[in-house]
Amino acid sequence: MGPAKLTIHHLYADMMNLYGDRGNVISIKKRCEWRGIPVEVVDVGLGEKVRPTGCDVFLFGGGQDREQALLAEDLSGSKGADLRAIVEDGGVVLGVCGGYQLMGRYYETPEGETLPGVGVFDLYTEPRKPEEARLIGNVLVRVPLENGSYGELAGFENHGGRTYLGDVDPLGKVVAGYGNNGEDGTEGARRRNAYGTYLHGSLLPKNPWFTDRLILSAIRRVDEGYELESLDDAVEKAAFASISARIAGR
Ligand code: GLN
């Protein structure tokens, strides 16, 4: 029997796609196709239900405050409950920036409006103070992995919001850049197979190990022993090496 079909659920594809976050969809899709893994992309827009198939990756890109306000309402009902259940069940989710912020308990806009989040992560986001700048620039993050080793992620951040973690693990530690709030050295959040990050870029094309982590986690939910065929990642790794050297002055 061949590998199960992987379904990529692109949440609010037409609204939450800042700084090329759509590239995350393309990266997962191509890395599946290059391996002969059947893959389908499903857009999930305002008012549309999330329909898990069992082998899924849910992607939630970044967007400006006005889009986030529209989504908060859409996520406040059964859709948010469905996403919480998916995460509790070990579903694979990646939220970037504005999408990440809305995976927390709330996001307070610069205008003082408190947008309720899905509550997947115990975190909240507050606006920058008038005297504070937006957190903009290249970011390098060190991500602890299960076997005591670590991976690194390189990306680009541009957010005014400052995110503070409660009872949730960070995705990793900031090696260079600002991360969640520019103060505590954390970047992103992680719980089970749900990940949040400020890294745009898009994130996945130049961080192939993380792309494959998402793909493998999704497939192993239906085929525990599945192993991913390795790919020639010379181009992707060269892209990562180039940007990480520039970021970290390596
Ligand atoms: N509007 C949010 C902020 O500025 C998120 C922006 C984004 O997704 N880049 O913090």
Side-chain angles (χ1 to χ4, degrees):
M1 181 180 81
K5 181 173 84 170
L6 188 147
T7 302
I8 302 168
H9 304 257
H10 192 183
L11 299 175
Y12 310 107
D14 54 346
M15 298 168 70
M16 300 296 277
N17 177 35
L18 268 188
Y19 307 110
D21 291 336
R22 183 181 300 278
N24 293 329
V25 175
I26 298 168
S27 186
I28 292 175
K29 184 169 183 289
K30 293 308 290 180
R31 293 185 73 80
C32 285
E33 288 173 345
W34 291 336
R35 293 177 167 113
I37 299 169
V39 58
E40 178 185 13
V41 180
V42 173
D43 288 353
V44 183
L46 284 175
E48 294 179 333
K49 271 184 75 61
V50 178
R51 302 184 188 283
T53 67
C55 182
D56 309 282
V57 176
F58 300 87
L59 295 179
F60 195 171
Q64 296 301 354
D65 294 354
R66 62 180 174 277
E67 285 93 356
Q68 288 176 284
L70 287 172
L71 305 189
E73 173 65 27
D74 192 56
L75 290 167
S76 62
S78 60
K79 195 161 183 173
D82 290 347
L83 287 169
R84 284 192 296 275
I86 284 165
V87 170
E88 285 310 313
D89 184 45
V92 181
V93 183
L94 172 64
V96 177
C97 202
Y100 163 41
Q101 293 170 338
L102 288 177
M103 288 171 71
R105 291 192 285 113
Y106 67 84
Y107 168 57
E108 184 183 338
T109 70
E111 294 69 37
E113 186 185 5
T114 298
L115 303 179
V118 175
V120 164
F121 297 132
D122 179 15
L123 58 83
Y124 63 92
T125 301
E126 292 179 338
R128 66 190 175 102
K129 297 180 178 64
E131 68 276 13
E132 291 179 326
R134 287 181 68 82
L135 302 179
I136 300 176
N138 290 312
V139 196
L140 187 64
V141 183
R142 185 181 177 114
V143 177
L145 300 175
E146 290 72 18
N147 51 10
S149 66
Y150 69 92
E152 286 190 326
L153 294 172
F156 175 81
E157 64 185 325
N158 180 343
H159 53 105
R162 269 68 169 162
T163 295
Y164 298 93
L165 305 184
D167 183 19
V168 66
D169 291 332
L171 173 59
K173 289 282 184 201
V174 173
V175 175
Y178 298 104
N180 280 325
N181 49 54
E183 298 162 6
D184 64 12
T186 66
E187 202 297 313
R190 180 205 175 166
R191 191 158 73 82
R192 298 173 65 80
N193 286 319
Y195 304 88
T197 180
Y198 273 111
L199 274 62
H200 292 286
S202 47
L203 171 67
L204 297 183
K206 59 182 171 297
N207 295 287
W209 73 267
F210 192 60
T211 314
D212 285 352
R213 184 183 181 88
L214 299 177
I215 295 169
L216 187 59
S217 298
I219 295 176
R220 282 189 173 168
R221 286 171 53 73
V222 291
D223 181 349
E224 278 183 25
Y226 192 79
E227 294 293 341
L228 279 183
E229 173 195 338
S230 61
L231 295 173
D232 174 3
D233 287 336
V235 172
E236 292 84 352
K237 287 177 177 174
F240 174 82
S242 167
I243 188 67
S244 62
R246 197 182 333 152
I247 296 173
R250 285 176 179 167

